[in-house]
Amino acid sequence: MDKIVLKGGKKLEGEVKISGAKNAALPILAALLLTEGWNSISNVPQLGDISTILKLLHELGAEISEDKKDIRVNARNLRNPEVPYDLVKTMRASILVLGPLVARLKRAKVSLPGGCAIGARPINLHLKAFENMGVKINIEHGYVEAKVKRLKGARIYFDIPTVTGTENIMMAACLADGTTILENAAKEPEVVDLATVLSKMGAKIHGAGTDVIMIEGVETLKPMEHQIMPDRIEACTYMVAAGITGGKVKLLNCNPSHCQAVVDKLQEIGLEVSTYNHDGGVLIAGGSDLKATDIKTHPYPGFPTDMQAQIMSLLCLSQGSSIITETIFENRFMHVAELKRMGADITVQGNTAVVKGVEKLSGAQVMATDLRASASLVLAGLAAEGVTEISRVYHLDRGYEDLIGKLFNLGADIERLKA
Ligand code: EPU
């Protein structure tokens, strides 16, 4: 298996172009199943998870034409309602095709995702919402079987604001009879990007980006063109990379307003952050004396759970004690043991981590269990003394486009060793 080898201590300097958002591209590509005809999507990041969803769309009968970041999809021959275990086990977001399949084919059979490295991650809220819309759900042999005669609009209250749950139901509701109202819906910018796509297709959606979304069902949807929004988690990860190395990095093609909760915390820690709205740019300069702060993850617009691991690496090198509370996933501290191997002083109790700042981290051989945990180890390695070797690189390939190339261009001493 490939490894990343990096030597810490280089200040990152220069510009980095932020890619399209993985978590916007995945539901948007699934939504293309709702139309017959060629849709064109640009700024699609080249990632492992994107290859997986394209493979899945192809299995279901969609025609696909790919030219790097420009992807065209035509689902006029959508016929196969079944998503096998092999695809769901590599990527939980495969569940996002359930809504479009039920809306177009009136049936779907999708393997039930199991637990994963960050928590149990059930899909009960998706399924309950489908049932409210008249869908018969049956779970057998590890598969969710969904069947419906007439998909009907409904009032749905999510007990927890679920991102992919909101997206799945929003997609199905576009082709349902009548009006659907989603309460306590997720407000993430990726939900808004999907709603923009659905509206371009002719759907009638109001309130995306707030916690109440109203969707009036229409008869059919038409193909469209769309550019994927910038990846706010990738952008924030490079902000931390600049901060942790005491460097100065300009991010291009990013939307600073999506990063506000993280930027506020980075400023509290002591980083200088300026935004340039004319070119969607942000300049981050790392401070020399970083201070501890407390962080609690929340749904958007709160501090994102997808940045919790990365900011922990920065707090490991900030003076004083920081408390990080993870409220979204029950098992998202798997990076702690690895950071401790690099000299970090962290104590975990339940969903809280107490991080005591240390003078320095030291390079080590480490491995991670999920995407964002892997990113936190790369960040720690950039600041650590000596060489850090990170295995299980496939986690990073799933969600950070050309991470090694981008860091190398900013001056990091980093390379990928092929197995
Ligand atoms: N939940 C339930 N039942 C459900 C659905 C969710 O109990 O039916 C719980 C989850 O277990 C969790 C909370 O609700 O405790 C929120 O989970 P959510 O459903 O919002 O997460 P998700 O939709 O599965 C997306 C992102 C994740 C990101 C979370 C939270 C995509 C493809 N994935 O997951 O991204 O962490 O929202 O913001 O959009 C990542 O990119 O590394 C990643 C894990």
Side-chain angles (χ1 to χ4, degrees):
M1 249 185 267
D2 292 6
K3 279 184 190 161
I4 291 179
V5 178
L6 78 125
K7 202 161 159 208
K10 291 270 170 68
K11 286 187 178 200
L12 300 192
E13 306 271 351
E15 294 183 345
V16 60
K17 199 168 157 194
I18 300 307
S19 300
K22 164 180 86 79
N23 289 348
L26 292 170
I28 286 171
L29 290 168
L32 305 184
L33 296 178
L34 291 165
T35 65
E36 296 182 42
W38 286 102
N39 293 276
S40 300
I41 310 293
S42 58
N43 201 31
V44 180
Q46 293 178 286
L47 298 171
D49 276 6
I50 298 296
S51 310
T52 306
I53 194 125
L54 291 176
K55 204 163 139 195
L56 170 50
L57 299 186
H58 177 74
E59 283 252 332
L60 298 175
E63 293 161 78
I64 296 169
S65 117
E66 276 179 78
D67 180 11
K68 295 188 181 133
K69 290 167 186 281
D70 295 322
I71 298 197
R72 298 177 71 235
V73 175
N74 186 338
R76 72 187 149 196
N77 294 326
L78 179 70
R79 50 181 176 267
N80 176 10
E82 188 168 331
V83 182
Y85 177 61
D86 274 359
L87 287 169
V88 178
K89 82 165 191 256
T90 10
M91 188 186 66
R92 302 176 54 84
S94 304
I95 197 70
L96 283 164
V97 298
L98 188 56
L101 285 176
V102 165
R104 275 272 317 269
L105 301 179
K106 307 281 179 254
R107 66 203 168 103
K109 186 173 170 190
V110 179
S111 173
L112 194 62
C116 82
I118 61 176
R121 302 183 76 185
I123 55 158
N124 58 315
L125 301 175
H126 302 226
L127 300 184
K128 189 176 142 208
F130 280 118
E131 282 177 335
N132 286 350
M133 297 178 78
V135 181
K136 293 261 174 303
I137 300 282
N138 195 18
I139 296 181
E140 231 172 47
H141 307 301
Y143 278 79
V144 179
E145 284 194 44
K147 277 192 190 139
V148 66
K149 282 205 179 81
R150 218 180 101 238
L151 195 61
K152 55 180 188 354
R155 191 180 188 98
I156 290 156
Y157 176 83
F158 289 112
D159 291 340
I160 305 172
T162 155
V163 177
T164 49
T166 301
E167 293 166 344
N168 230 340
I169 302 306
M170 200 162 75
M171 291 188 275
C174 290
L175 290 178
D177 281 351
T179 301
T180 299
I181 295 175
L182 305 182
E183 289 176 335
N184 202 23
K187 296 184 280 199
E188 269 64 6
E190 293 77 12
V191 172
V192 178
D193 212 25
L194 172 65
T196 305
V197 162
L198 296 169
S199 301
K200 285 182 183 176
M201 289 175 172
K204 294 190 178 158
I205 304 182
H206 309 277
T210 75
D211 55 7
V212 180
I213 305 179
M214 191 173 90
I215 307 122
E216 289 170 61
V218 295
E219 281 292 313
T220 53
L221 295 171
K222 58 177 195 300
M224 50 86 238
E225 290 179 13
H226 185 72
Q227 179 177 346
I228 301 289
M229 62 174 268
D231 195 314
R232 63 194 168 102
I233 304 300
E234 188 198 20
C236 294
T237 302
Y238 284 102
M239 292 184 195
V240 174
I244 206 164
T245 61
K248 197 170 183 179
V249 172
K250 184 169 182 187
L251 309 184
L252 303 175
N253 280 10
C254 86
N255 185 338
S257 67
H258 291 163
C259 306
Q260 202 52 55
V262 177
V263 166
D264 286 352
K265 284 295 167 184
L266 293 179
Q267 287 174 328
E268 258 177 62
I269 293 170
L271 268 59
E272 282 173 39
V273 184
S274 358
T275 54
Y276 298 86
N277 286 325
H278 64 277
D279 62 356
V282 180
L283 184 72
I284 308 106
S288 51
D289 76 89
L290 305 176
K291 295 181 297 290
T293 190
D294 294 340
I295 284 170
K296 204 171 190 178
T297 61
H298 282 295
Y300 190 83
F303 191 94
T305 172
D306 288 346
M307 273 305 294
Q308 179 259 107
Q310 301 90 314
I311 206 147
M312 185 182 285
S313 298
L314 184 65
L315 292 175
C316 285
L317 290 167
S318 304
Q319 255 175 45
S321 283
S322 305
I323 298 176
I324 301 182
T325 312
E326 171 58 56
T327 72
I328 309 290
F329 293 112
E330 65 277 19
N331 190 25
R332 212 173 196 183
F333 282 141
M334 302 291 273
H335 41 288
V336 168
E338 301 298 301
L339 289 172
K340 283 169 86 163
R341 298 187 61 250
M342 297 178 74
D345 182 346
I346 309 169
T347 319
V348 173
Q349 209 164 42
N351 69 342
T352 302
V354 178
V355 184
K356 288 193 185 139
V358 293
E359 282 292 308
K360 64 179 179 75
L361 293 173
S362 60
Q365 289 179 318
V366 288
M367 69 177 169
T369 40
D370 81 277
L371 170 59
R372 309 302 172 187
S374 307
S376 77
L377 299 178
V378 172
L379 293 168
L382 289 173
E385 242 178 47
V387 175
T388 297
E389 242 185 66
I390 301 165
S391 49
R392 301 197 176 163
V393 179
Y394 56 85
H395 288 300
L396 289 164
D397 295 340
R398 288 185 54 187
Y400 284 94
E401 188 177 56
D402 191 23
L403 178 74
I404 296 169
K406 288 183 184 186
L407 288 173
F408 183 81
N409 287 338
L410 291 171
D413 186 344
I414 186 166
E415 63 176 332
R416 182 181 187 121
L417 291 188
K418 295 269 176 209

